[in-house]
Each structure stands twice: as structure tokens, then as C-alpha cells.
Amino acid sequence: MTKPTTAELQAMDAAHYLHPFTDHKDLGARGTRIIARASGVHLWDSDGNRILDGMAGLWCVNIGYGRTELAEAAYRQMLELPYANSFFQCTNSPAVQLASAIAEQAPAHMNHVFFTGSGSEANDTVLRMVRRYWDLQGQPEKKTVIGRINGYHGSTVAGASLGGMAAMHEQGDLPIPGIVHIAQPYWYGEGGDMSEQEFGLWAARQLEEKILQVGTDKVAAFIAEPIQGAGGVIIPPSTYWPEIKRIVDKYGILLVVDEVICGFGRTGEWFGSQHFDLQPDLMPIAKGMTSGYLPMGGVIVGSRVADCLIDNGGEFFHGYTYSGHPVAAAVGLENLRILREEKIIDYARNEAAPYLQQKIAGLAEHPLVGEVRGMGMLGAFELVGNKATRERFPGKGAAGTLCRDMCILNGLVMRAVGDTMIMSPPLVIQPEEIDELFDKAWRSLNMAAKQLR
Ligand SMILES: *Cc1c(COP(=O)(O)O)cnc(C)c1O
């Protein structure tokens, strides 16, 4: 079989392939970029261009590309047992071992895992599990989940409803009933005259106001990302999480911490919850769980909910054909082994992240950059027309899109959320590759600046 050429692939793509989160009319005019192969932190497209992947795919390829051990784990498992379900009193060895390995890394009170196929499915499971929990507690009227504006919890009906993306809500007639939202802790964009610390408290107290407004007897849970990822790498002020914890405890609602991005080392800890000293009841996970080599997600369940589900008996009518898929689990297990044995999270925390953060801080000197922020292996900087007034460029996100396009021209993948540029490279990125990332970022910013002025 001869390999299709780039032009042939582009034509077939336009004719048959509907992409996620894409304006197809616009895409048709530009033509798609075909990613052909990858190794370490680099991608190659079908024209042979070498591109540094500053996003680790979509925040997922934590151990980097090209790890043959994961391919071999999948191959071995496919030959031995390519599929098995965990319904009907059955289980399989990779899923059992992965659940137990994840429980070992999770906060001490979290010892059970429910497997899904993705992060969105994990949040569908969250909604089902939260409501099942309160039913079993004899409080079925506790149904409402509080999320945050500009939070991201996936793209299914439940995931998009729990999330607070206005554009998704508009198209989907969402959120579904029983899900409401409060302000996000986005100080640079929305803090007004408040100090960062004051604003953190204000944003957290929106939760208490919402609980009182909906009714303390009706609120089931609060869901949030430790650091908002898709919303633009928004790191809450240090006053935020302690106050959220106080409110969640005061009203006894469940705390759901969406670890789909922060989990498996992204912040320099195994979980973002450990970074912020949180005690979640449920933690949705995906992405770094398999380093993206195969699709898999899950929900790590704390003792409060797990004990209730188990002790009360009765079937929870929920699960997926691919829950605990043996091949995905075998890959997840191998990914965990590599993270542990090669001490990749220690490397990220102690070596890669301090250097990455120093480089991000340096971008503040660029005339286009209004704010820089970052934590662990996450980083962001905001493009502004006027640094003093924080005034944006006209054209809602046009500056970000331009900068992103300049990055690709210079061989770098960075994403733009509006006019916020974000990065999330593989945890294994080496210092000289971080240098390459920022050389390309500076060059791209300079090119963007020329066009914007
Ligand atoms: C990506 C993401 C999801 C959705 O995961 P999918 O695998 O794309 O369904 C959910 N929550 C967060 C925080 C995410 O970043």
C-alpha cells in the first residue's frame, strides 16, 4: 500500500473528517497540518517540519513521545487479553493493578477508582455518583452541583454543563437543570481594584452565597479544577482554596477536584490536590494517566462516597463498555511505573519546573506581555495593548491567534485562549529544550508585535 501524500490526506480530511472544536469553513481555507510522528518532546509534520510540543499534546503526554515500553505493554496485553468487561462479577489483572497503584499515589483517604474512557466521561460519572451518594444518604433533594464560569470539565452534556464555557452552553442549550455556576478566581482579568488576596477570598465566598441562594438542603457538591487549564492556566490566589475548604466543610457538600490536567505530575506533585492540601471526595482523572498513549479516564473515590456506595448495597446502574479496558490499563500501569522508577515528577518539581518558571517570568519584559504566571509544568502569559491599563488588543482573541500562528511558523506548539498564551510541555523536557521553547516563543512574540503595531 502506498502512503497517501500530504495533499491527498488534506483532501480526504476536508471531505470526510469532522474535527473537534473546529470551524470547518476556516479550516478548509487553510488546510490541515498532518502530524506524522513524534519523539521525546518533538513532533514532525508530513512536510518534515520539526515542532517542539509545548502543550504535551493536549496536556497529556507527560512522559514524552516514543516510549517503546508503553507500546510493548499494549502489544503484550492485546495478544493475551485484548478486551474484557468488569460487569457481571468479572475483573481483569491490569485494571485491578492500575486501581491499586493509583490508590497508592492518591491522598490517603482515597482508595477506590472507577474507570472511564475519557475525562468527559469521568465527569459524567461524577454527576451520577454525586446524586447516587445523596440518594443513599436519604437526601435525594440534594441534587445541585455548583461549578465555575470558565471552568472546563469536558465536552459531553454533563461535562459541558459542569464546565462554565459560555460558548459551549449557548450551542448546547446547557447547562442541564441542577447545575449552577459561580465566578472564577481570575484576578488579572476580573480582580478590579481588589488586591490578589482580597479577590481570592471574594471569589471563594461566591460559593457560600450560591449555597445560601440555592438552599443548603439542595446543594450536593462543588466542582473545580485545582488550576484552570483550558480556561487559560488560571492559578487561584493563595487565599482561595483555604476559604473554599472552609465553606465546603461548613455545609457538608461533596468536593470534586477535577485532576484531569493537574493529575500525574503536572504541578510537580502527583495531584494538584496535594499541592493545595485539598481533601477531595472525588477526583476525575484522564490525560496524564496514560500519558495519552491510549484513551482512558477515571474517578478516584474517597472513603466518604466509596463506603456509602459499598455499605448500602444495591446496584449503581452506571458503567461503560470500556470501563477498566485491559489494554488501556496495561498502558496506564506502565506509564505509572515509568513515572515512579524514573522519578519523573521529582525531576519536574526540582529541575524542569524551576527553570521553566524562571523563563516564563523573563517574558514579562516583552512589550506585548501584560502578565506572566505559572506553576509546576504549567505556564501562561497574557498579551495586552497597554501594560499599565491591561487594555487588550481589539478583535477578541485575534492577537492570541496571531501569536499562536507565529509559534507554529517558528516550530513551536503553544495554545491561545483568547489573548492568553498557554504552555504545558512534557514533564521530561530537558533544560536545552526549554531554551529552545523560549527562543522560539520570543521570536514569535517579536513577529506578532510587528504585525500588531
Ligand atoms: C480535558 C479535560 C477534561 C475532558 O477530558 P476529555 O478526555 O477530553 O474528555 C475534563 N476536565 C479537565 C480539567 C480537562 O482539562
Side-chain angles (χ1 to χ4, degrees), residues 59 118-121 123 152-155 225 230 258 260-261 286-287:
W59 328 80
S118 69
S120 298
E121 280 180 16
N123 282 308
Y152 188 78
H153 301 295
S155 192
E225 306 154 77
D258 186 336
V260 170
I261 286 177
K287 295 191 171 121

Side-chain angles (χ1 to χ4, degrees), residues 71-195:
E72 281 158 7
Y75 179 74
R76 278 196 309 270
Q77 186 58 44
M78 271 200 200
L79 290 179
E80 194 171 310
L81 178 71
Y83 175 79
N85 71 65
S86 300
F87 298 37
F88 318 125
Q89 289 83 47
C90 289
T91 192
N92 68 79
S93 172
V96 172
Q97 290 187 64
L98 181 59
S100 117
I102 289 173
E104 224 170 88
Q105 295 305 157
H109 69 290
M110 308 192 83
N111 290 305
H112 289 83
V113 183
F114 190 100
F115 289 114
T116 71
S118 69
S120 298
E121 280 180 16
N123 282 308
D124 278 59
T125 294
V126 159
L127 186 61
R128 294 288 314 276
M129 216 177 250
V130 162
R131 290 181 172 170
R132 171 76 176 151
Y133 170 82
W134 287 113
D135 278 350
L136 288 172
Q137 293 293 311
Q139 292 177 272
E141 69 286 356
K142 272 185 174 282
K143 286 236 163 20
T144 301
V145 179
I146 301 175
R148 302 185 301 185
I149 294 165
N150 201 37
Y152 188 78
H153 301 295
S155 192
T156 54
V157 168
S161 292
L162 291 167
M165 296 291 176
M168 294 173 79
H169 287 177
E170 270 167 39
Q171 289 181 346
D173 213 356
L174 302 174
I176 55 173
I179 297 174
V180 296
H181 299 84
I182 59 171
Q184 57 179 333
Y186 178 29
W187 177 70
Y188 184 76
E190 298 172 0
D193 294 332
M194 280 183 257
S195 74

Side-chain angles (χ1 to χ4, degrees), residues 155-398:
S155 192
T156 54
V157 168
S161 292
L162 291 167
M165 296 291 176
M168 294 173 79
H169 287 177
E170 270 167 39
Q171 289 181 346
D173 213 356
L174 302 174
I176 55 173
I179 297 174
V180 296
H181 299 84
I182 59 171
Q184 57 179 333
Y186 178 29
W187 177 70
Y188 184 76
E190 298 172 0
D193 294 332
M194 280 183 257
S195 74
E196 194 171 352
Q197 307 311 317
E198 284 167 356
F199 177 72
L201 283 178
W202 176 88
R205 286 177 186 155
Q206 298 307 297
L207 177 59
E208 186 156 29
E209 281 196 18
K210 188 60 88 178
I211 292 172
L212 295 173
Q213 183 194 332
V214 172
T216 50
D217 54 339
K218 295 206 169 57
V219 177
F222 174 62
I223 182 168
E225 306 154 77
I227 294 169
Q228 285 155 265
V233 183
I234 293 165
I235 301 165
S238 62
T239 46
Y240 183 77
W241 275 116
E243 183 68 2
I244 290 283
K245 274 168 61 174
R246 181 190 72 75
I247 295 164
V248 162
D249 288 347
K250 179 171 173 191
Y251 296 97
I253 63 174
L254 294 171
L255 176 62
V256 184
V257 180
D258 186 336
E259 294 272 4
V260 170
I261 286 177
C262 289
F264 300 93
R266 185 52 57 195
T267 67
E269 302 290 340
W270 275 89
F271 295 97
S273 291
Q274 291 158 334
H275 190 96
F276 292 110
D277 192 28
L278 307 178
Q279 301 279 309
D281 295 299
L282 300 171
M283 297 199 309
I285 52 174
K287 295 191 171 121
M289 181 180 184
T290 55
S291 282
Y293 279 54
L294 277 181
M296 189 178 215
V299 181
I300 311 181
V301 183
S303 53
R304 179 176 171 194
V305 174
D307 291 351
C308 169
L309 288 178
I310 294 164
D311 295 347
N312 281 280
E315 182 172 345
F316 178 29
F317 298 106
H318 176 70
Y320 307 103
T321 302
Y322 297 133
S323 286
H325 192 284
V327 181
V331 168
L333 204 53
E334 187 63 10
N335 179 58
L336 269 178
R337 185 192 67 73
I338 289 175
L339 283 173
R340 281 175 175 168
E341 285 182 12
E342 298 182 10
K343 299 194 171 20
I344 287 174
I345 296 174
D346 290 342
Y347 167 75
R349 178 178 55 244
N350 300 330
E351 294 177 57
Y355 191 48
L356 185 84
Q357 296 306 331
Q358 180 196 324
K359 290 287 216 175
I360 292 171
L363 283 172
E365 285 165 32
H366 195 280
L368 284 189
V369 175
E371 187 188 54
V372 293
R373 54 179 181 262
M375 181 176 284
M377 297 303 284
L378 289 166
F381 53 95
E382 303 221 13
L383 307 178
V384 291
N386 183 323
K387 284 192 184 220
T389 62
R390 300 184 182 183
E391 191 187 320
R392 308 278 167 172
F393 286 102
K396 280 203 157 193

